[in-house]
Amino acid sequence: MSLVDVVIPVYNTPLQAVEQALRSVVSQTFTQWRAMVVDDGSSHEFAEALDVLVSGIDDSRVELHRTMNGGVAAARNYGIRISNSPFVALLDSDDIWHPSKLELQVSAMRQWPDIALVHTGYARFYGSEPTELMPICNVEERVNALSPEEACVAMLRRNFVGVSTVMLRRALCDESGYFDPSFRTLEDKELWVRLLMQGLRFHLLPQPLMFYRMHQ
Protein backbone atom coordinates (compact mmCIF):
# COMPACT_ATOMS: atom_id res chain seq x y z
CA MET A 1 0.00 0.00 0.00
CA SER A 2 1.28 3.48 -0.85
CA LEU A 3 1.56 6.23 1.74
CA VAL A 4 1.85 9.06 -0.80
CA ASP A 5 -0.16 9.65 -3.96
CA VAL A 6 1.65 11.95 -6.38
CA VAL A 7 -0.64 14.01 -8.64
CA ILE A 8 0.92 15.23 -11.92
CA PRO A 9 -1.37 17.24 -14.25
CA VAL A 10 -0.24 17.27 -17.89
CA TYR A 11 -1.39 19.34 -20.86
CA ASN A 12 0.73 19.12 -24.01
CA THR A 13 3.89 19.50 -21.92
CA PRO A 14 7.17 18.84 -23.79
CA LEU A 15 7.74 15.12 -23.41
CA GLN A 16 11.33 15.47 -22.28
CA ALA A 17 10.15 17.57 -19.34
CA VAL A 18 7.41 15.06 -18.46
CA GLU A 19 9.92 12.23 -18.51
CA GLN A 20 12.29 14.14 -16.24
CA ALA A 21 9.44 14.86 -13.81
CA LEU A 22 8.41 11.18 -13.74
CA ARG A 23 11.95 9.90 -13.34
CA SER A 24 12.47 12.27 -10.42
CA VAL A 25 9.52 10.53 -8.75
CA VAL A 26 10.78 7.04 -9.59
CA SER A 27 14.18 8.00 -8.14
CA GLN A 28 12.80 8.95 -4.71
CA THR A 29 14.51 7.36 -1.70
CA PHE A 30 11.02 6.92 -0.23
CA THR A 31 9.38 4.13 -2.24
CA GLN A 32 5.82 3.82 -0.88
CA TRP A 33 4.21 6.09 -3.44
CA ARG A 34 1.82 5.94 -6.38
CA ALA A 35 1.98 8.51 -9.19
CA MET A 36 -1.13 9.56 -11.08
CA VAL A 37 -0.42 11.36 -14.35
CA VAL A 38 -3.61 13.25 -15.26
CA ASP A 39 -3.75 14.14 -18.96
CA ASP A 40 -6.01 17.20 -19.06
CA GLY A 41 -7.39 16.75 -22.58
CA SER A 42 -4.13 17.08 -24.51
CA SER A 43 -3.97 16.70 -28.29
CA HIS A 44 -4.39 13.24 -29.83
CA GLU A 45 -0.76 13.18 -30.95
CA PHE A 46 0.50 14.12 -27.51
CA ALA A 47 -1.77 11.56 -25.84
CA GLU A 48 -0.32 8.77 -27.98
CA ALA A 49 3.24 9.88 -27.20
CA LEU A 50 2.43 10.11 -23.49
CA ASP A 51 1.16 6.52 -23.57
CA VAL A 52 4.49 5.40 -24.97
CA LEU A 53 6.43 7.44 -22.42
CA VAL A 54 4.55 6.09 -19.39
CA SER A 55 4.87 2.53 -20.70
CA GLY A 56 8.60 3.11 -21.16
CA ILE A 57 8.99 4.19 -17.52
CA ASP A 58 8.01 0.57 -16.78
CA ASP A 59 6.95 1.10 -13.17
CA SER A 60 3.59 -0.22 -12.00
CA ARG A 61 3.35 2.62 -9.48
CA VAL A 62 2.92 5.12 -12.35
CA GLU A 63 -0.67 5.38 -13.62
CA LEU A 64 -2.05 7.37 -16.57
CA HIS A 65 -5.51 8.91 -16.33
CA ARG A 66 -7.36 11.08 -18.84
CA THR A 67 -9.96 13.81 -18.39
CA MET A 68 -11.72 16.39 -20.50
CA ASN A 69 -9.80 19.65 -20.58
CA GLY A 70 -10.70 21.67 -17.53
CA GLY A 71 -7.49 23.42 -16.54
CA VAL A 72 -4.78 22.61 -14.06
CA ALA A 73 -6.99 23.07 -10.99
CA ALA A 74 -9.56 20.58 -12.26
CA ALA A 75 -6.83 18.11 -13.24
CA ARG A 76 -5.25 18.29 -9.79
CA ASN A 77 -8.67 17.86 -8.17
CA TYR A 78 -9.32 14.75 -10.27
CA GLY A 79 -6.06 13.19 -9.13
CA ILE A 80 -6.70 14.03 -5.49
CA ARG A 81 -10.24 12.65 -5.59
CA ILE A 82 -9.12 9.24 -6.90
CA SER A 83 -6.23 9.09 -4.44
CA ASN A 84 -6.49 6.88 -1.37
CA SER A 85 -3.19 7.34 0.44
CA PRO A 86 -2.83 9.37 3.66
CA PHE A 87 -0.69 11.99 1.92
CA VAL A 88 -0.89 13.72 -1.46
CA ALA A 89 2.12 15.34 -3.14
CA LEU A 90 1.74 17.76 -6.05
CA LEU A 91 4.15 17.96 -8.98
CA ASP A 92 3.75 20.04 -12.13
CA SER A 93 4.76 18.13 -15.24
CA ASP A 94 7.78 20.30 -16.07
CA ASP A 95 9.32 20.45 -12.58
CA ILE A 96 11.79 18.06 -10.94
CA TRP A 97 12.15 16.74 -7.38
CA HIS A 98 15.27 16.14 -5.32
CA PRO A 99 15.54 12.39 -4.54
CA SER A 100 15.00 12.86 -0.79
CA LYS A 101 11.92 15.11 -1.05
CA LEU A 102 9.20 12.59 -0.19
CA GLU A 103 11.25 10.92 2.53
CA LEU A 104 11.83 14.20 4.36
CA GLN A 105 8.23 15.33 3.98
CA VAL A 106 6.72 12.07 5.21
CA SER A 107 9.02 12.27 8.22
CA ALA A 108 7.81 15.81 8.93
CA MET A 109 4.16 14.79 8.56
CA ARG A 110 4.68 12.00 11.08
CA GLN A 111 6.62 14.20 13.48
CA TRP A 112 4.03 17.00 13.51
CA PRO A 113 0.53 15.48 13.22
CA ASP A 114 -1.09 18.91 13.63
CA ILE A 115 0.51 20.17 10.41
CA ALA A 116 -1.85 20.15 7.41
CA LEU A 117 0.69 20.90 4.66
CA VAL A 118 4.47 20.62 4.31
CA HIS A 119 6.27 22.67 1.65
CA THR A 120 9.94 23.13 0.86
CA GLY A 121 12.47 25.54 -0.56
CA TYR A 122 13.23 25.32 -4.27
CA ALA A 123 15.60 26.53 -6.95
CA ARG A 124 14.92 27.67 -10.52
CA PHE A 125 16.55 26.68 -13.79
CA TYR A 126 16.30 27.36 -17.52
CA GLY A 127 16.71 24.77 -20.25
CA SER A 128 16.57 21.01 -20.32
CA GLU A 129 18.61 20.12 -17.22
CA PRO A 130 18.87 21.68 -13.72
CA THR A 131 22.63 22.01 -14.03
CA GLU A 132 22.86 25.78 -13.56
CA LEU A 133 20.52 26.74 -10.77
CA MET A 134 19.32 30.29 -10.30
CA PRO A 135 19.00 31.81 -6.80
CA ILE A 136 17.31 29.45 -4.40
CA CYS A 137 13.73 30.46 -3.63
CA ASN A 138 13.78 29.75 0.09
CA VAL A 139 11.25 31.18 2.47
CA GLU A 140 12.70 32.20 5.81
CA GLU A 141 12.21 29.53 8.45
CA ARG A 142 10.48 32.07 10.66
CA VAL A 143 7.26 31.40 8.72
CA ASN A 144 7.02 28.21 10.81
CA ALA A 145 6.55 30.36 13.90
CA LEU A 146 3.64 32.33 12.39
CA SER A 147 0.07 31.67 13.44
CA PRO A 148 -2.31 30.69 10.62
CA GLU A 149 -3.68 34.25 10.71
CA GLU A 150 -0.20 35.78 10.40
CA ALA A 151 0.74 33.30 7.66
CA CYS A 152 -2.43 34.24 5.77
CA VAL A 153 -1.46 37.92 5.81
CA ALA A 154 2.01 36.99 4.56
CA MET A 155 0.47 34.82 1.82
CA LEU A 156 -1.71 37.72 0.65
CA ARG A 157 1.46 39.73 0.13
CA ARG A 158 3.40 36.95 -1.63
CA ASN A 159 2.78 33.31 -2.43
CA PHE A 160 5.57 31.62 -0.49
CA VAL A 161 4.39 28.06 -1.15
CA GLY A 162 5.62 26.51 -4.40
CA VAL A 163 2.90 24.15 -5.61
CA SER A 164 5.37 21.46 -6.75
CA THR A 165 6.88 21.43 -3.25
CA VAL A 166 3.61 20.63 -1.48
CA MET A 167 2.61 17.52 0.45
CA LEU A 168 -0.74 17.65 2.22
CA ARG A 169 -2.97 15.32 4.18
CA ARG A 170 -5.51 13.61 1.91
CA ALA A 171 -8.38 13.97 4.40
CA LEU A 172 -7.80 17.71 4.45
CA CYS A 173 -9.21 18.14 0.94
CA ASP A 174 -12.56 16.51 1.69
CA GLU A 175 -12.84 18.54 4.89
CA SER A 176 -11.56 21.91 3.72
CA GLY A 177 -11.91 22.05 -0.05
CA TYR A 178 -10.08 21.52 -3.32
CA PHE A 179 -8.57 23.85 -5.90
CA ASP A 180 -11.14 26.22 -7.38
CA PRO A 181 -11.34 25.39 -11.13
CA SER A 182 -12.80 28.82 -11.90
CA PHE A 183 -9.30 30.22 -11.32
CA ARG A 184 -7.09 29.92 -14.41
CA THR A 185 -4.12 31.37 -12.55
CA LEU A 186 -3.22 31.78 -8.85
CA GLU A 187 -5.41 28.77 -8.13
CA ASP A 188 -2.76 27.49 -5.73
CA LYS A 189 -2.49 30.76 -3.79
CA GLU A 190 -6.28 30.91 -3.48
CA LEU A 191 -6.33 27.45 -1.88
CA TRP A 192 -3.45 28.23 0.50
CA VAL A 193 -5.25 31.39 1.65
CA ARG A 194 -8.47 29.45 2.16
CA LEU A 195 -6.74 26.76 4.23
CA LEU A 196 -4.92 29.31 6.39
CA MET A 197 -8.19 31.19 6.95
CA GLN A 198 -9.58 27.96 8.39
CA GLY A 199 -6.80 27.94 10.97
CA LEU A 200 -4.72 25.17 9.42
CA ARG A 201 -0.96 25.19 9.90
CA PHE A 202 1.76 24.86 7.23
CA HIS A 203 5.36 23.79 7.81
CA LEU A 204 8.41 24.72 5.73
CA LEU A 205 11.42 22.49 5.10
CA PRO A 206 13.86 25.19 3.96
CA GLN A 207 16.21 23.03 1.89
CA PRO A 208 15.69 23.20 -1.92
CA LEU A 209 13.91 19.92 -2.67
CA MET A 210 12.26 20.98 -5.95
CA PHE A 211 13.70 22.44 -9.16
CA TYR A 212 11.33 24.83 -10.93
CA ARG A 213 11.71 25.05 -14.70
CA MET A 214 11.62 28.57 -16.15
CA HIS A 215 10.40 29.16 -19.71
CA GLN A 216 11.20 31.86 -22.23
Side-chain angles (χ1 to χ4, degrees), residues 61-180:
R61 296 172 296 177
V62 179
E63 302 175 0
L64 178 57
H65 300 265
R66 291 205 156 89
T67 64
M68 299 291 290
N69 180 255
V72 67
R76 287 196 195 112
N77 288 346
Y78 178 88
I80 295 170
R81 285 192 173 97
I82 64 173
S83 67
N84 54 22
S85 297
F87 309 125
V88 172
L90 305 174
L91 176 61
D92 282 352
S93 58
D94 56 352
D95 294 332
I96 297 173
W97 282 348
H98 186 281
S100 63
K101 177 183 180 291
L102 293 183
E103 180 179 358
L104 292 171
Q105 287 186 298
V106 169
S107 177
M109 284 290 202
R110 288 168 165 168
Q111 183 176 354
W112 296 293
D114 61 321
I115 295 298
L117 179 156
V118 175
H119 61 113
T120 79
Y122 63 96
R124 300 170 293 178
F125 71 99
Y126 277 107
S128 60
E129 298 285 347
T131 51
E132 295 186 12
L133 298 176
M134 299 173 68
I136 293 173
C137 301
N138 274 346
V139 181
E140 293 186 25
E141 286 186 76
R142 64 181 180 178
V143 300
N144 289 334
L146 299 178
S147 69
E149 293 80 8
E150 292 168 332
C152 186
V153 172
M155 176 63 65
L156 289 172
R157 294 194 181 103
R158 178 173 72 90
N159 184 358
F160 55 82
V161 176
V163 67
S164 288
T165 76
V166 165
M167 177 182 288
L168 49 82
R169 298 186 189 276
R170 170 64 182 82
L172 167 73
C173 297
D174 289 336
E175 296 167 1
S176 302
Y178 291 73
F179 291 96
D180 186 337

